[in-house]
Amino acid sequence: MSQQTSIHPAALPRSRSSLRFWGIFSAALLAAAGLIQIGADSGWINQYYLHIVTIIGMNVILVASLNLLNGYLGEFALGHAGFMAIGAYTAALIATGTAWPALPGLVLSLAGAIALTGLIGYLIGLVTFKTVGDYLAIITLGFNMIIVNGIQNLEFVGGPRGFGGIPRNTNFFAVVCGVVFTYAVLRNLIASNYGRIWVAIRENDIAAELMGVNIIRAKNLAFTIAAALAGLAGGLWAQYQQFITPKSFDYIKTTEILVMLYLGGMGSLSGSILGVVVYTILMELLRNLLAFDPRLADLRMVISPLILIVIMLTRQYGLMGNKEWRWLRLKEERVEHGSHPETRAN
């Protein structure tokens, strides 16, 4: 992959300033999460609301990582739930097979989940990106089905009955740490030469190849990173729920991730957050409303794909497609947008 490594001298002070902003913002966010966790442990914060916010955090990791593939690279992958399953079962096996305390157990199990899903994602990408067109969607969907059906036949992880007895090493603070890590990785990659290469491939892969870009290697790098981050979300999920089944990672989970991604907007990390928050809260409201009649509960699974259809018909790029909130932009982007009269209001 050919890359240009020259940096304009004027960009260096802005990069340091941007790094300082993100360092302060991340520290403030983690401090707030720590206080909320302490408040929840002390009984001052409603556990139900904390549970909803924790689920939102794990879904943000999933959707943002898939956005790297579907939004910035311009591919269409359907195997993210499968990578989440690999991460969940890997972390569960490590956490239950060792006697480490909670924090070392969580860190090492998540590291194992990230490493294995990243490796499997890399190997699948080696085969997948030799094809062109919509074959990626078909292959990744087939991969998801193989993973789910394979786990159902593995007795040492419970098979179709599920895997229980997983220590609860994940809490709200750990999930926020995962979100900050995910956004730090994705934001810096997207703003780097790799990000420009991925966007160039999305816009015109033939022109990018003519400019010397190794298309297959660039696509596989994005695919590997997205798979590894899905494994991180799976590892957090397994050690938060303490019980996982293969059914949790079937096509319904894939549909949910896609709905949140397209609702928020393609090629936008801000959209990943917005889509997850809107969808998760909507589903919880429907769950509470439909709880008055259990027969209506299944309507949630009808409404979910219906939202995806409406989005595709009315708003192809979602709520934030190709746009970022001002505070999520790099300083260089804020200066560029602010100097342009048509984009100053975004």
Side-chain angles (χ1 to χ4, degrees):
M1 182 185 306
S2 65
Q3 302 174 43
Q4 295 181 359
T5 57
S6 62
I7 300 174
H8 194 283
L12 292 176
R14 294 203 294 265
S15 298
R16 293 193 191 101
S17 175
S18 179
L19 184 62
R20 186 166 56 248
F21 167 78
W22 278 101
I24 295 173
F25 177 78
S26 300
L29 184 62
L30 292 175
L35 291 175
I36 292 173
Q37 186 63 57
I38 292 172
D41 294 340
S42 304
W44 297 339
I45 296 178
N46 187 296
Q47 291 293 329
Y48 171 72
Y49 296 126
L50 187 72
H51 169 72
I52 298 302
V53 179
T54 304
I55 296 297
I56 287 175
M58 288 184 278
N59 284 335
V60 164
I61 298 173
L62 273 175
V63 174
S65 56
L66 184 60
N67 207 346
L68 178 64
L69 280 177
N70 290 25
Y72 291 94
L73 186 60
E75 297 290 341
F76 188 68
L78 294 173
H80 229 49
F83 290 120
M84 184 186 180
I86 294 173
Y89 276 88
T90 302
L93 285 171
I94 295 175
T96 55
T98 58
W100 290 317
L103 182 58
L106 176 65
V107 173
L108 291 173
S109 60
L110 293 181
I114 291 172
L116 184 60
T117 50
L119 175 62
I120 293 176
Y122 173 77
L123 295 175
I124 293 175
L126 285 179
V127 178
T128 302
F129 289 116
K130 290 182 179 178
T131 63
V132 295
D134 298 328
Y135 290 101
L136 176 65
I138 299 171
I139 293 175
T140 50
L141 180 62
F143 158 76
N144 202 147
M145 296 171 65
I146 291 171
I147 290 296
V148 171
N149 287 290
I151 293 174
Q152 286 181 340
N153 290 284
L154 296 177
E155 282 300 321
F156 70 96
V157 293
R161 299 183 304 278
F163 191 162
I166 305 169
R168 184 161 187 169
N169 296 331
T170 300
N171 56 19
F172 172 70
F173 181 74
V175 172
V176 173
C177 290
V179 172
V180 171
F181 172 77
T182 300
Y183 267 71
V185 169
L186 293 179
R187 198 69 191 92
N188 283 284
L189 280 172
I190 291 167
S192 71
N193 286 340
Y194 289 108
R196 297 183 181 93
I197 289 172
W198 292 328
V199 173
I201 293 172
R202 180 189 68 188
E203 297 300 324
N204 192 324
D205 56 345
I206 297 176
E209 190 168 20
L210 290 174
M211 293 298 292
V213 173
N214 187 324
I215 301 290
I216 294 177
R217 187 185 301 174
K219 287 183 177 180
N220 202 13
L221 177 63
F223 193 75
T224 302
I225 294 169
L229 292 175
L232 169 64
L236 289 168
W237 171 267
Q239 294 176 84
Y240 178 73
Q241 297 286 6
Q242 298 182 277
F243 179 77
I244 51 178
T245 67
K247 189 174 176 56
S248 303
F249 311 102
D250 61 8
Y251 69 93
I252 293 179
K253 185 64 180 178
T254 299
T255 304
E256 283 186 347
I257 300 171
L258 285 174
V259 170
M260 289 185 278
L261 172 62
Y262 284 93
L263 175 63
M266 304 291 286
S268 168
L269 293 179
S270 309
S272 298
I273 298 175
L274 187 62
V276 169
V277 171
V278 171
Y279 178 82
T280 306
I281 293 177
L282 176 63
M283 288 297 106
E284 283 304 313
L285 289 175
L286 286 173
R287 185 197 303 276
N288 293 327
L289 290 175
L290 299 179
F292 294 105
D293 187 346
R295 292 173 299 179
L296 300 177
D298 291 339
L299 285 179
R300 293 175 66 248
M301 295 300 103
V302 177
I303 293 173
S304 173
L306 186 62
I307 292 174
L308 181 60
I309 294 172
V310 173
I311 294 169
M312 291 296 97
L313 292 177
T314 60
R315 198 175 177 90
Q316 185 178 0
Y317 296 101
L319 299 175
M320 293 287 294
N322 296 321
K323 292 186 294 185
E324 295 285 4
W325 289 324
R326 180 179 174 80
W327 61 274
L328 259 178
R329 296 177 192 151
L330 293 176
K331 186 172 181 179
E332 294 87 336
E333 295 174 329
R334 294 201 295 271
V335 171
E336 180 182 348
H337 281 250
S339 63
H340 196 293
E342 294 183 357
T343 57
R344 195 173 293 157
N346 291 334

